[in-house]
Amino acid sequence: MKGKIVKGIAGFYYVHVVESGVYECKAKGIFRKEKIKPLVGDNVEIDVINESEKTGNITEILPRKNELIRPAVANIDQALIVFAVTSPKPHLNLLDRFLIMMESKSIPVTLCFNKKDLADEKEWELLKETYEACGYPVIFTSAAKEENIDQVRKIMEGKTTALAGPSGVGKSSLINLLDPNANMETGEISRKIERGRHTTRHSELFSIGGETYIMDTPGFGSLYVNDFEKEDLKDYFREFRPYEGSCRFQGCSHIHEPGCEVKEALSEGFIPKSRYENYLEMYRELEQKKRY
């Protein structure tokens, strides 16, 4: 039988087979010998040991189309990056790091800003303007008011979607609305520090009908861009792409060089200032890493 790993705990892998349910499986010893670790999201073949107890063995891991290291998951069709419009206010540098991570793995992204009901129009219009200018689809939701949840459900249909974002922005509440059976612990925002408690402790896929899966991943407080070279960073900022090859110098980093079309576009307001500043910060971080 073919299925998808939806959860892995203490050496047991829970494999969802459409129309048959979830089987508790062990991985064959050959994977350990070959140093292959099954990941949540892997498509696998299983041998059923006991149908009534729903137990089996994973006999083959099918080829992966992509893989993330943190969280350790495979075969993601798209990412829904969730931040709150306010309470807590979005940390744009962290948001851009999520986008860079997904761009580097060629994973399509939709941005979802939750808690729209707590923000004024000016706040969400600025976010919409900034990220739509970079070519990202943007959705505004309110889990509390159940606003635009159908819009989210529609983009997820038939796909495996990873929800990423910091703690306390409402990811678990969104999952509970999309799949009432998920029963995710929603946790509370600490009023004192305006930061969410880490309510998700492991990566888990939830089947919300047929081939539609959503994955919540542990909340992130920080994200480091350290698995590529500083020269490659500019390739992951979508809004730079129309100007590539137009700068005076080949391989322009869009920082110090004269005759840079990206800096020209920035000065004319075609590139969002916050995005360019975050690019500079990440570039310097990678430069420091190389130095040491």
Side-chain angles (χ1 to χ4, degrees), residues 165-209:
S167 297
V169 297
K171 297 195 305 296
S172 298
S173 301
L174 282 171
I175 289 181
N176 287 337
L177 287 171
L178 293 161
D179 176 20
N181 299 322
N183 275 325
M184 298 209 59
E185 182 187 348
T186 52
E188 276 185 296
I189 292 285
S190 159
R191 284 198 186 89
K192 193 176 176 190
I193 56 169
E194 270 220 324
R195 199 167 62 203
R197 299 193 184 103
H198 290 260
T199 53
T200 307
R201 292 171 187 85
H202 55 263
S203 295
E204 185 171 352
L205 277 181
F206 298 93
S207 168
I208 55 170

Side-chain angles (χ1 to χ4, degrees), residues 19-47:
E19 292 181 10
S20 293
V22 175
Y23 293 78
E24 182 183 86
C25 299
K26 293 285 269 182
K28 284 268 181 129
I30 190 166
F31 300 126
R32 273 195 303 281
K33 276 186 200 160
E34 294 175 5
K35 295 187 176 168
I36 298 168
K37 185 178 163 59
L39 297 177
V40 169
D42 269 333
N43 295 310
V44 294
E45 286 187 0
I46 65 169
D47 277 346

